[in-house]
Amino acid sequence: MPSSAVYQPEIDRSAPQKQSFQAPIWTAPIAGLISALFALSIATLIAVIINVETPLNAIGGEFIDHTPKWLKNFAIRIFATNNKAALKTGMLLTVSCLALLAGSIARRRRIAGASIIAGFGVVGAIISLLRPSQNAAALLPSLVGALAGCWLLTKLICVINENSKPLETPTTSRAPLGWDRRRFLSTTGKVAIISTALAGTASVVSSKKISQVRDAAPQSLPPIGNNTVLPTTKIPSATQIFEQTPFVTPNKDFYRIDTALSLPRVDINTWKLEIGGMVKTPLTLSYQDLLARPMVERTITICCVSNEVGGPYIGNAIWQGVLLADLLDEAGVDSRAEQIFNTSVDGWTCGFPVGAAVDGRDAMIAIGMNGTALPLEHGYPVRLIVPGLYGYVSATKWLKSIDLTMWNQAEGYWIPLGWSRDAPIKTQSRIDVPRRDENVVAGKIAIAGVAWAQQRGIEKVEVRIDAGEWKLATLALDLNIDTWRQWKYESNLQPGEYEIQVRATDKTGATQTQEVSRPDPDGATGYHTRTIKVL
Ligand SMILES: Nc1nc2c(c(=O)[nH]1)N[C@H]1C(S)=C(S)[C@@H](COP(=O)(O)O)O[C@H]1N2
Ligand SMILES: [Mo]
Protein backbone atom coordinates (compact mmCIF):
# COMPACT_ATOMS: atom_id res chain seq x y z
CA MET A 1 0.00 0.00 0.00
CA PRO A 2 1.43 3.38 -0.93
CA SER A 3 2.50 5.32 2.09
CA SER A 4 0.68 8.41 0.89
CA ALA A 5 -2.68 6.71 1.34
CA VAL A 6 -4.61 8.44 4.03
CA TYR A 7 -6.49 6.36 6.50
CA GLN A 8 -10.08 7.35 6.86
CA PRO A 9 -11.49 5.92 10.06
CA GLU A 10 -14.78 4.22 9.56
CA ILE A 11 -15.84 4.96 13.06
CA ASP A 12 -15.70 8.01 15.28
CA ARG A 13 -16.11 10.26 12.29
CA SER A 14 -18.35 12.67 14.07
CA ALA A 15 -17.02 12.12 17.57
CA PRO A 16 -14.50 14.68 18.88
CA GLN A 17 -11.04 13.24 18.25
CA LYS A 18 -9.20 12.93 21.56
CA GLN A 19 -6.46 10.62 20.38
CA SER A 20 -4.59 10.84 17.11
CA PHE A 21 -3.71 7.65 15.31
CA GLN A 22 -0.59 9.06 13.78
CA ALA A 23 2.46 9.78 15.89
CA PRO A 24 3.08 13.51 16.07
CA ILE A 25 5.52 15.09 13.69
CA TRP A 26 8.28 15.63 16.31
CA THR A 27 8.67 11.94 17.12
CA ALA A 28 10.74 11.00 14.07
CA PRO A 29 13.37 13.76 14.47
CA ILE A 30 13.64 12.87 18.16
CA ALA A 31 14.19 9.25 17.19
CA GLY A 32 17.00 10.44 14.92
CA LEU A 33 18.56 12.50 17.68
CA ILE A 34 18.38 9.71 20.24
CA SER A 35 19.87 7.24 17.73
CA ALA A 36 22.76 9.57 16.99
CA LEU A 37 23.48 10.11 20.69
CA PHE A 38 23.41 6.36 21.21
CA ALA A 39 25.78 5.86 18.26
CA LEU A 40 28.15 8.55 19.48
CA SER A 41 28.30 7.33 23.05
CA ILE A 42 28.99 3.75 21.94
CA ALA A 43 31.65 4.94 19.51
CA THR A 44 33.29 7.15 22.14
CA LEU A 45 33.39 4.40 24.73
CA ILE A 46 34.89 1.89 22.28
CA ALA A 47 37.52 4.44 21.20
CA VAL A 48 38.51 5.19 24.76
CA ILE A 49 38.76 1.50 25.60
CA ILE A 50 40.83 0.48 22.59
CA ASN A 51 43.04 3.61 22.85
CA VAL A 52 42.24 5.35 19.60
CA GLU A 53 41.10 8.92 19.06
CA THR A 54 37.32 9.34 19.53
CA PRO A 55 35.45 9.92 16.26
CA LEU A 56 34.32 13.39 17.33
CA ASN A 57 37.86 14.40 18.26
CA ALA A 58 39.18 12.93 15.02
CA ILE A 59 36.67 14.87 12.94
CA GLY A 60 37.22 18.00 15.02
CA GLY A 61 40.98 17.63 14.71
CA GLU A 62 40.75 17.19 10.97
CA PHE A 63 38.49 20.23 10.83
CA ILE A 64 41.01 22.29 12.82
CA ASP A 65 43.82 21.19 10.51
CA HIS A 66 41.92 21.90 7.31
CA THR A 67 39.79 24.96 7.98
CA PRO A 68 40.52 27.69 5.51
CA LYS A 69 42.98 30.32 6.64
CA TRP A 70 40.46 33.15 7.03
CA LEU A 71 38.12 31.04 9.12
CA LYS A 72 40.88 29.75 11.37
CA ASN A 73 42.39 33.17 11.98
CA PHE A 74 38.91 34.55 12.58
CA ALA A 75 38.08 31.80 15.06
CA ILE A 76 41.35 32.31 16.88
CA ARG A 77 40.71 36.02 17.24
CA ILE A 78 37.11 35.59 18.34
CA PHE A 79 37.44 32.68 20.70
CA ALA A 80 41.09 32.97 21.76
CA THR A 81 41.81 29.77 23.68
CA ASN A 82 38.11 29.00 24.05
CA ASN A 83 38.06 28.06 20.39
CA LYS A 84 38.27 24.36 21.20
CA ALA A 85 35.14 24.51 23.33
CA ALA A 86 33.45 26.51 20.56
CA LEU A 87 34.43 23.87 18.01
CA LYS A 88 33.12 21.02 20.16
CA THR A 89 29.82 22.83 20.69
CA GLY A 90 29.59 23.56 16.98
CA MET A 91 30.21 19.90 16.13
CA LEU A 92 27.56 18.67 18.55
CA LEU A 93 25.07 21.14 17.09
CA THR A 94 25.90 20.03 13.54
CA VAL A 95 25.58 16.36 14.45
CA SER A 96 22.27 17.06 16.20
CA CYS A 97 20.86 18.86 13.16
CA LEU A 98 21.91 16.00 10.87
CA ALA A 99 20.37 13.54 13.31
CA LEU A 100 17.05 15.42 13.43
CA LEU A 101 17.04 15.40 9.65
CA ALA A 102 17.92 11.70 9.47
CA GLY A 103 15.01 10.96 11.79
CA SER A 104 12.45 12.96 9.81
CA ILE A 105 13.52 11.35 6.57
CA ALA A 106 13.48 7.90 8.13
CA ARG A 107 9.82 8.17 8.99
CA ARG A 108 8.83 7.81 5.36
CA ARG A 109 12.01 6.34 3.97
CA ARG A 110 13.74 4.26 6.57
CA ILE A 111 16.78 3.34 4.48
CA ALA A 112 17.40 6.92 3.39
CA GLY A 113 17.26 8.16 6.98
CA ALA A 114 19.50 5.43 8.32
CA SER A 115 21.98 6.02 5.54
CA ILE A 116 22.67 9.51 6.89
CA ILE A 117 23.82 7.93 10.14
CA ALA A 118 25.68 5.22 8.23
CA GLY A 119 27.34 7.84 6.03
CA PHE A 120 28.44 9.76 9.07
CA GLY A 121 29.93 6.57 10.46
CA VAL A 122 31.85 5.80 7.29
CA VAL A 123 33.23 9.35 7.07
CA GLY A 124 34.13 9.22 10.76
CA ALA A 125 35.89 5.88 10.28
CA ILE A 126 37.95 7.09 7.34
CA ILE A 127 38.93 10.34 9.04
CA SER A 128 39.86 8.46 12.21
CA LEU A 129 42.09 6.13 10.24
CA LEU A 130 43.90 9.02 8.56
CA ARG A 131 44.68 10.90 11.78
CA PRO A 132 48.31 10.99 12.96
CA SER A 133 49.55 7.98 14.97
CA GLN A 134 46.39 5.89 14.35
CA ASN A 135 46.01 2.34 13.04
CA ALA A 136 43.24 0.19 11.54
CA ALA A 137 41.60 -0.16 14.94
CA ALA A 138 40.57 3.47 14.59
CA LEU A 139 37.91 2.34 12.08
CA LEU A 140 36.05 0.34 14.69
CA PRO A 141 34.37 2.94 16.92
CA SER A 142 32.68 4.85 14.09
CA LEU A 143 31.55 1.72 12.28
CA VAL A 144 30.14 -0.02 15.33
CA GLY A 145 28.56 3.20 16.54
CA ALA A 146 26.92 3.83 13.17
CA LEU A 147 25.58 0.27 12.99
CA ALA A 148 24.07 0.63 16.44
CA GLY A 149 22.61 4.01 15.49
CA CYS A 150 21.02 2.65 12.30
CA TRP A 151 19.58 -0.32 14.12
CA LEU A 152 18.08 1.86 16.83
CA LEU A 153 16.66 4.37 14.37
CA THR A 154 14.88 1.61 12.45
CA LYS A 155 13.46 0.22 15.69
CA LEU A 156 12.21 3.59 16.86
CA ILE A 157 10.67 4.35 13.50
CA CYS A 158 8.80 1.05 13.80
CA VAL A 159 7.41 2.15 17.14
CA ILE A 160 6.38 5.45 15.61
CA ASN A 161 4.70 3.99 12.53
CA GLU A 162 3.23 0.90 14.13
CA ASN A 163 -0.51 0.97 14.42
CA SER A 164 -0.73 4.32 12.75
CA LYS A 165 -0.85 2.75 9.34
CA PRO A 166 -4.25 2.03 7.91
CA LEU A 167 -5.10 -1.62 8.00
CA GLU A 168 -5.31 -3.43 4.72
CA THR A 169 -8.99 -4.05 5.24
CA PRO A 170 -10.29 -1.79 7.89
CA THR A 171 -13.35 -2.98 9.63
CA THR A 172 -15.13 -1.57 12.56
CA SER A 173 -14.01 -4.50 14.64
CA ARG A 174 -10.36 -4.18 13.76
CA ALA A 175 -9.79 -0.46 14.03
CA PRO A 176 -6.14 0.50 14.61
CA LEU A 177 -5.33 1.46 18.15
CA GLY A 178 -3.33 4.51 17.16
CA TRP A 179 0.36 5.02 17.81
CA ASP A 180 1.79 3.89 21.10
CA ARG A 181 2.93 7.08 22.78
CA ARG A 182 3.87 5.44 26.03
CA ARG A 183 6.04 2.85 24.35
CA PHE A 184 7.87 5.50 22.31
CA LEU A 185 8.56 7.69 25.33
CA SER A 186 9.73 4.84 27.52
CA THR A 187 12.00 3.41 24.82
CA THR A 188 13.62 6.74 23.95
CA GLY A 189 13.90 7.55 27.66
CA LYS A 190 15.68 4.27 28.34
CA VAL A 191 18.03 4.75 25.41
CA ALA A 192 18.80 8.28 26.57
CA ILE A 193 19.71 6.96 30.01
CA ILE A 194 21.86 4.18 28.54
CA SER A 195 23.62 6.66 26.24
CA THR A 196 24.35 9.00 29.11
CA ALA A 197 25.73 6.10 31.12
CA LEU A 198 27.95 5.01 28.20
CA ALA A 199 29.23 8.54 27.67
CA GLY A 200 29.83 8.93 31.40
CA THR A 201 31.77 5.67 31.47
CA ALA A 202 33.81 6.81 28.49
CA SER A 203 34.71 10.00 30.28
CA VAL A 204 35.68 8.18 33.48
CA VAL A 205 37.80 5.64 31.58
CA SER A 206 39.43 8.41 29.60
CA SER A 207 40.36 10.41 32.72
CA LYS A 208 41.70 7.27 34.26
CA LYS A 209 43.91 6.58 31.26
CA ILE A 210 45.17 10.15 31.29
CA SER A 211 46.08 9.80 34.96
CA GLN A 212 47.93 6.62 34.11
CA VAL A 213 49.99 8.53 31.54
CA ARG A 214 50.67 11.24 34.11
CA ASP A 215 51.59 8.68 36.75
CA ALA A 216 54.06 6.97 34.44
CA ALA A 217 56.14 10.18 34.38
CA PRO A 218 59.13 10.06 36.72
CA GLN A 219 58.50 11.54 40.17
CA SER A 220 61.83 13.27 40.11
CA LEU A 221 64.24 14.20 37.38
CA PRO A 222 67.89 13.19 37.28
CA PRO A 223 70.01 15.79 39.02
CA ILE A 224 71.98 18.30 37.00
CA GLY A 225 75.59 17.63 37.93
CA ASN A 226 75.85 17.46 41.70
CA ASN A 227 72.91 19.72 42.33
CA THR A 228 69.76 18.18 43.70
CA VAL A 229 68.02 21.31 44.96
CA LEU A 230 64.70 22.19 43.40
CA PRO A 231 65.64 24.75 40.79
CA THR A 232 63.08 27.39 41.75
CA THR A 233 64.91 27.94 45.02
CA LYS A 234 68.04 28.91 43.14
CA ILE A 235 66.53 31.91 41.38
CA PRO A 236 67.91 35.07 43.01
CA SER A 237 65.17 36.91 44.85
CA ALA A 238 66.25 40.18 43.22
CA THR A 239 64.53 39.04 40.01
CA GLN A 240 61.22 39.69 41.77
CA ILE A 241 60.40 43.34 42.57
CA PHE A 242 56.60 43.15 42.65
CA GLU A 243 54.50 40.22 43.70
CA GLN A 244 51.52 40.06 41.36
CA THR A 245 53.42 38.32 38.55
CA PRO A 246 55.76 35.58 39.79
CA PHE A 247 59.14 35.68 38.06
CA VAL A 248 58.89 31.92 37.52
CA THR A 249 55.41 31.00 36.31
CA PRO A 250 54.03 27.98 38.19
CA ASN A 251 53.17 25.07 35.88
CA LYS A 252 49.48 25.23 36.74
CA ASP A 253 49.31 28.90 35.70
CA PHE A 254 51.39 28.54 32.55
CA TYR A 255 49.51 29.52 29.39
CA ARG A 256 48.58 26.67 27.08
CA ILE A 257 48.23 26.94 23.32
CA ASP A 258 47.94 24.01 20.92
CA THR A 259 45.69 22.42 18.32
CA ALA A 260 45.10 19.22 20.33
CA LEU A 261 41.44 18.48 21.14
CA SER A 262 42.50 15.74 23.52
CA LEU A 263 45.84 15.36 25.25
CA PRO A 264 48.12 12.92 23.41
CA ARG A 265 48.53 9.85 25.60
CA VAL A 266 52.09 8.80 25.06
CA ASP A 267 53.20 5.36 26.24
CA ILE A 268 56.55 6.15 27.77
CA ASN A 269 57.83 2.61 27.20
CA THR A 270 57.38 2.66 23.46
CA TRP A 271 57.85 6.37 22.73
CA LYS A 272 61.00 7.18 20.74
CA LEU A 273 62.52 10.38 19.46
CA GLU A 274 63.89 10.14 15.93
CA ILE A 275 66.51 12.57 14.67
CA GLY A 276 67.02 12.16 10.94
CA GLY A 277 66.99 13.74 7.51
CA MET A 278 70.19 15.47 6.42
CA VAL A 279 72.45 13.91 9.05
CA LYS A 280 75.30 11.41 8.89
CA THR A 281 73.97 9.15 11.64
CA PRO A 282 70.25 9.21 12.36
CA LEU A 283 69.51 8.81 16.08
CA THR A 284 66.69 7.03 17.85
CA LEU A 285 66.37 7.86 21.53
CA SER A 286 64.06 6.44 24.17
CA TYR A 287 62.94 8.47 27.18
CA GLN A 288 65.47 6.56 29.30
CA ASP A 289 68.23 7.34 26.78
CA LEU A 290 67.45 11.03 27.11
CA LEU A 291 67.31 10.89 30.91
CA ALA A 292 70.76 9.28 30.94
CA ARG A 293 72.35 12.11 28.93
CA PRO A 294 74.12 15.17 30.27
CA MET A 295 71.42 17.71 30.99
CA VAL A 296 71.20 21.42 31.51
CA GLU A 297 68.75 23.61 33.33
CA ARG A 298 67.87 27.01 31.87
CA THR A 299 65.36 29.68 32.73
CA ILE A 300 63.68 30.75 29.51
CA THR A 301 60.59 32.84 28.82
CA ILE A 302 58.44 31.48 25.98
CA CYS A 303 55.58 33.30 24.34
CA CYS A 304 52.93 32.90 21.70
CA VAL A 305 52.95 34.91 18.50
CA SER A 306 49.18 35.35 18.78
CA ASN A 307 49.55 37.23 22.06
CA GLU A 308 48.06 40.71 21.76
CA VAL A 309 50.00 43.62 23.23
CA GLY A 310 49.47 43.28 26.99
CA GLY A 311 48.17 39.72 26.58
CA PRO A 312 48.60 36.67 28.81
CA TYR A 313 50.18 34.10 26.46
CA ILE A 314 53.67 34.30 27.90
CA GLY A 315 55.36 32.43 30.72
CA ASN A 316 58.76 31.93 32.27
CA ALA A 317 59.92 28.49 33.39
CA ILE A 318 63.02 26.62 34.42
CA TRP A 319 63.43 24.02 31.73
CA GLN A 320 65.58 20.93 32.17
CA GLY A 321 66.75 18.97 29.19
CA VAL A 322 69.35 17.90 26.69
CA LEU A 323 70.97 20.59 24.54
CA LEU A 324 69.84 20.19 20.94
CA ALA A 325 73.34 21.16 19.78
CA ASP A 326 74.82 18.10 21.55
CA LEU A 327 72.43 15.71 19.81
CA LEU A 328 72.88 17.36 16.41
CA ASP A 329 76.63 17.18 16.89
CA GLU A 330 76.38 13.46 17.47
CA ALA A 331 74.12 12.98 14.46
CA GLY A 332 76.44 15.03 12.24
CA VAL A 333 74.39 17.64 10.41
CA ASP A 334 74.91 18.03 6.66
CA SER A 335 76.24 21.55 6.16
CA ARG A 336 73.61 22.21 3.47
CA ALA A 337 70.68 21.62 5.85
CA GLU A 338 68.65 24.80 6.42
CA GLN A 339 65.70 23.86 8.58
CA ILE A 340 65.11 21.89 11.76
CA PHE A 341 61.66 20.47 11.11
CA ASN A 342 59.73 18.89 14.01
CA THR A 343 56.72 16.64 14.14
CA SER A 344 54.68 15.92 17.25
CA VAL A 345 52.85 12.77 18.26
CA ASP A 346 49.59 14.55 17.37
CA GLY A 347 50.81 15.42 13.89
CA TRP A 348 51.56 19.11 14.46
CA THR A 349 54.69 20.46 12.77
CA CYS A 350 57.01 23.44 12.84
CA GLY A 351 60.46 24.42 11.65
CA PHE A 352 63.22 26.87 12.51
CA PRO A 353 66.67 27.68 11.10
CA VAL A 354 69.50 25.25 11.90
CA GLY A 355 71.42 28.28 13.18
CA ALA A 356 69.07 28.64 16.14
CA ALA A 357 70.23 25.26 17.45
CA VAL A 358 73.95 25.72 16.98
CA ASP A 359 74.65 29.43 17.45
CA GLY A 360 75.28 29.03 21.15
CA ARG A 361 71.78 29.70 22.49
CA ASP A 362 70.29 27.08 24.78
CA ALA A 363 67.91 25.35 22.36
CA MET A 364 66.97 22.15 24.12
CA ILE A 365 64.91 19.02 24.21
CA ALA A 366 63.15 19.71 27.47
CA ILE A 367 61.96 16.92 29.74
CA GLY A 368 61.45 18.97 32.88
CA MET A 369 59.59 22.14 33.77
CA ASN A 370 60.07 23.92 37.09
CA GLY A 371 61.54 20.89 38.81
CA THR A 372 59.03 18.26 37.68
CA ALA A 373 58.67 16.11 34.59
CA LEU A 374 56.91 18.07 31.82
CA PRO A 375 53.18 18.27 32.53
CA LEU A 376 51.05 16.49 29.91
CA GLU A 377 49.53 19.85 28.86
CA HIS A 378 52.99 21.21 28.19
CA GLY A 379 54.33 18.39 26.07
CA TYR A 380 55.12 15.30 28.15
CA PRO A 381 57.27 13.36 27.60
CA VAL A 382 59.47 15.74 25.64
CA ARG A 383 59.23 19.13 23.94
CA LEU A 384 61.49 21.65 22.25
CA ILE A 385 62.39 25.00 23.73
CA VAL A 386 64.30 27.48 21.59
CA PRO A 387 65.10 30.81 23.26
CA GLY A 388 64.20 33.82 21.14
CA LEU A 389 61.69 32.19 18.78
CA TYR A 390 57.91 32.26 19.07
CA GLY A 391 56.32 28.95 20.08
CA TYR A 392 54.63 28.28 16.74
CA VAL A 393 57.96 27.84 14.93
CA SER A 394 59.91 26.11 17.68
CA ALA A 395 58.26 24.89 20.87
CA THR A 396 56.95 21.48 19.68
CA LYS A 397 55.17 19.64 22.48
CA TRP A 398 54.79 15.82 22.51
CA LEU A 399 57.81 15.77 20.22
CA LYS A 400 58.18 12.73 17.98
CA SER A 401 60.77 13.52 15.35
CA ILE A 402 63.32 16.08 14.27
CA ASP A 403 64.28 16.24 10.61
CA LEU A 404 67.13 18.22 9.17
CA THR A 405 65.89 19.49 5.84
CA MET A 406 65.67 22.40 3.37
CA TRP A 407 63.15 25.23 3.56
CA ASN A 408 61.53 24.14 0.31
CA GLN A 409 61.11 20.55 1.49
CA ALA A 410 58.76 21.05 4.41
CA GLU A 411 56.49 23.74 5.81
CA GLY A 412 55.40 23.97 9.45
CA TYR A 413 51.71 23.88 10.42
CA TRP A 414 51.11 27.63 10.66
CA ILE A 415 53.14 28.76 7.64
CA PRO A 416 50.55 28.03 4.90
CA LEU A 417 48.05 29.84 7.12
CA GLY A 418 49.88 33.07 6.55
CA TRP A 419 52.23 33.26 9.54
CA SER A 420 55.89 34.10 8.93
CA ARG A 421 58.48 31.40 8.43
CA ASP A 422 61.04 33.34 10.48
CA ALA A 423 59.69 34.38 13.84
CA PRO A 424 62.12 35.96 16.28
CA ILE A 425 60.36 37.25 19.39
CA LYS A 426 59.80 41.00 19.35
CA THR A 427 60.82 43.30 22.19
CA GLN A 428 57.72 43.94 24.31
CA SER A 429 56.60 45.19 27.69
CA ARG A 430 53.42 44.79 29.72
CA ILE A 431 51.76 46.63 32.60
CA ASP A 432 50.58 44.18 35.29
CA VAL A 433 50.01 46.60 38.19
CA PRO A 434 47.63 48.28 38.81
CA ARG A 435 45.30 45.66 37.34
CA ARG A 436 42.74 46.67 34.76
CA ASP A 437 39.75 48.32 36.45
CA GLU A 438 41.51 48.28 39.79
CA ASN A 439 40.64 51.32 41.87
CA VAL A 440 43.74 52.81 43.41
CA VAL A 441 43.91 55.30 46.22
CA ALA A 442 45.60 58.66 45.64
CA GLY A 443 49.19 59.02 46.82
CA LYS A 444 52.29 57.04 45.95
CA ILE A 445 51.25 54.49 43.39
CA ALA A 446 53.25 51.55 42.14
CA ILE A 447 53.13 50.80 38.45
CA ALA A 448 54.84 47.54 37.55
CA GLY A 449 55.10 44.83 34.97
CA VAL A 450 57.37 42.70 32.82
CA ALA A 451 59.42 43.29 29.68
CA TRP A 452 61.11 40.80 27.38
CA ALA A 453 63.45 40.64 24.41
CA GLN A 454 64.70 37.05 24.38
CA GLN A 455 68.23 36.62 22.99
CA ARG A 456 68.89 40.37 23.25
CA GLY A 457 67.95 41.09 26.84
CA ILE A 458 66.18 44.10 28.37
CA GLU A 459 68.31 47.22 28.83
CA LYS A 460 65.74 49.73 30.01
CA VAL A 461 62.04 50.23 30.54
CA GLU A 462 60.29 53.59 30.48
CA VAL A 463 56.87 54.68 31.63
CA ARG A 464 54.83 57.70 30.74
CA ILE A 465 51.63 59.05 32.16
CA ASP A 466 49.08 60.90 30.02
CA ALA A 467 51.54 61.01 27.11
CA GLY A 468 53.98 63.03 29.25
CA GLU A 469 57.71 62.58 29.45
CA TRP A 470 59.15 59.05 29.40
CA LYS A 471 60.52 58.19 32.85
CA LEU A 472 62.97 55.38 33.63
CA ALA A 473 61.52 52.47 35.54
CA THR A 474 63.54 50.51 38.10
CA LEU A 475 64.57 47.11 36.79
CA ALA A 476 64.78 43.84 38.66
CA LEU A 477 67.88 41.68 38.40
CA ASP A 478 68.51 40.48 34.89
CA LEU A 479 68.76 36.69 35.19
CA ASN A 480 69.76 36.13 31.58
CA ILE A 481 68.89 37.53 28.15
CA ASP A 482 66.25 34.84 27.60
CA THR A 483 63.94 35.65 30.50
CA TRP A 484 61.54 38.48 31.02
CA ARG A 485 62.60 41.21 33.39
CA GLN A 486 60.41 42.85 35.97
CA TRP A 487 60.15 46.65 36.16
CA LYS A 488 58.55 49.08 38.57
CA TYR A 489 57.83 52.80 38.60
CA GLU A 490 56.39 54.80 41.46
CA SER A 491 54.46 57.98 41.03
CA ASN A 492 52.48 60.38 43.21
CA LEU A 493 49.02 60.63 41.72
CA GLN A 494 46.05 62.80 42.70
CA PRO A 495 42.51 61.49 42.20
CA GLY A 496 41.58 61.30 38.54
CA GLU A 497 41.95 59.15 35.47
CA TYR A 498 45.36 58.50 33.96
CA GLU A 499 46.62 56.78 30.86
CA ILE A 500 49.77 54.81 31.51
CA GLN A 501 52.10 53.55 28.80
CA VAL A 502 55.24 51.46 28.85
CA ARG A 503 58.05 50.77 26.40
CA ALA A 504 61.19 48.65 26.54
CA THR A 505 64.62 48.98 24.99
CA ASP A 506 66.71 45.89 24.38
CA LYS A 507 70.45 45.52 24.87
CA THR A 508 71.18 46.29 21.22
CA GLY A 509 69.78 49.74 21.95
CA ALA A 510 66.61 49.24 19.94
CA THR A 511 63.36 50.47 21.51
CA GLN A 512 60.17 48.56 20.78
CA THR A 513 58.14 50.15 18.04
CA GLN A 514 55.16 52.36 18.78
CA GLU A 515 53.54 51.28 15.55
CA VAL A 516 50.45 49.20 16.29
CA SER A 517 50.21 45.91 14.42
CA ARG A 518 48.16 42.77 14.83
CA PRO A 519 49.66 39.43 15.93
CA ASP A 520 49.66 38.02 12.40
CA PRO A 521 51.93 37.45 10.58
CA ASP A 522 54.85 37.67 13.03
CA GLY A 523 53.84 39.18 16.38
CA ALA A 524 51.87 42.19 17.66
CA THR A 525 53.56 45.56 18.20
CA GLY A 526 52.68 48.82 19.91
CA TYR A 527 52.89 50.17 23.45
CA HIS A 528 50.82 48.55 26.15
CA THR A 529 48.46 51.24 27.39
CA ARG A 530 46.28 51.10 30.48
CA THR A 531 43.89 53.62 31.93
CA ILE A 532 43.72 53.72 35.71
CA LYS A 533 41.29 55.42 38.05
CA VAL A 534 42.75 57.04 41.15
CA LEU A 535 40.27 57.69 43.93
N1 LIG B 1 52.27 19.53 19.37
C1 LIG B 1 52.09 20.87 19.44
N2 LIG B 1 53.08 21.64 19.94
C2 LIG B 1 52.93 22.98 20.03
C3 LIG B 1 51.75 23.60 19.56
C4 LIG B 1 50.72 22.76 19.02
O1 LIG B 1 49.65 23.23 18.59
N3 LIG B 1 50.93 21.41 18.98
N4 LIG B 1 51.61 24.96 19.67
C5 LIG B 1 52.82 25.77 19.78
C6 LIG B 1 52.55 27.13 20.17
S1 LIG B 1 51.75 28.11 19.03
C7 LIG B 1 52.98 27.66 21.35
S2 LIG B 1 52.83 29.30 21.67
C8 LIG B 1 53.60 26.80 22.39
C9 LIG B 1 52.85 26.93 23.70
O2 LIG B 1 53.39 26.09 24.68
P1 LIG B 1 52.63 25.91 26.04
O3 LIG B 1 51.24 25.45 25.73
O4 LIG B 1 53.41 24.93 26.84
O5 LIG B 1 52.62 27.27 26.70
O6 LIG B 1 53.57 25.44 22.03
C10 LIG B 1 53.88 25.16 20.68
N5 LIG B 1 53.93 23.72 20.54
MO1 LIG C 1 51.79 30.20 19.77
Side-chain angles (χ1 to χ4, degrees), residues 97-108:
C97 289
L98 280 173
L100 292 168
L101 180 74
S104 347
I105 293 177
R107 178 147 195 192
R108 296 270 165 268

Side-chain angles (χ1 to χ4, degrees), residues 255 257 303-306 391-392:
Y255 81 96
I257 301 268
C303 53
C304 184
V305 70
S306 58
Y392 81 104

Side-chain angles (χ1 to χ4, degrees), residues 198-333:
L198 290 173
T201 312
S203 136
V204 169
V205 174
S206 159
S207 319
K208 198 158 182 185
K209 293 207 168 176
I210 290 200
S211 331
Q212 279 166 1
V213 175
R214 287 189 211 276
D215 294 346
Q219 290 301 303
S220 62
L221 295 172
I224 312 291
N226 58 0
N227 157 34
T228 51
V229 194
L230 262 189
T232 31
T233 59
K234 292 183 320 215
I235 301 284
S237 57
T239 53
Q240 184 86 50
I241 53 169
F242 72 100
E243 57 191 32
Q244 286 85 338
T245 305
F247 177 72
V248 174
T249 316
N251 290 356
K252 65 170 176 34
D253 299 332
F254 211 91
Y255 81 96
R256 177 184 166 199
I257 301 268
D258 53 62
T259 58
L261 279 179
S262 56
L263 290 169
R265 299 199 305 242
V266 175
D267 177 355
I268 203 59
N269 300 311
T270 54
W271 175 89
K272 293 257 174 356
L273 172 65
E274 310 269 356
I275 301 181
M278 298 168 73
V279 295
K280 268 195 217 78
T281 332
L283 305 178
T284 301
L285 299 151
S286 70
Y287 191 61
Q288 292 304 326
D289 293 338
L290 283 170
L291 288 179
R293 286 188 156 251
M295 281 197 266
V296 297
E297 192 178 86
R298 296 284 188 269
T299 310
I300 297 164
T301 300
I302 65 166
C303 53
C304 184
V305 70
S306 58
N307 201 27
E308 303 276 353
V309 172
Y313 305 144
I314 175 165
N316 184 40
I318 303 162
W319 307 97
Q320 173 173 338
V322 177
L323 284 177
L324 186 53
D326 290 353
L327 291 171
L328 293 184
D329 206 36
E330 196 170 310
V333 175

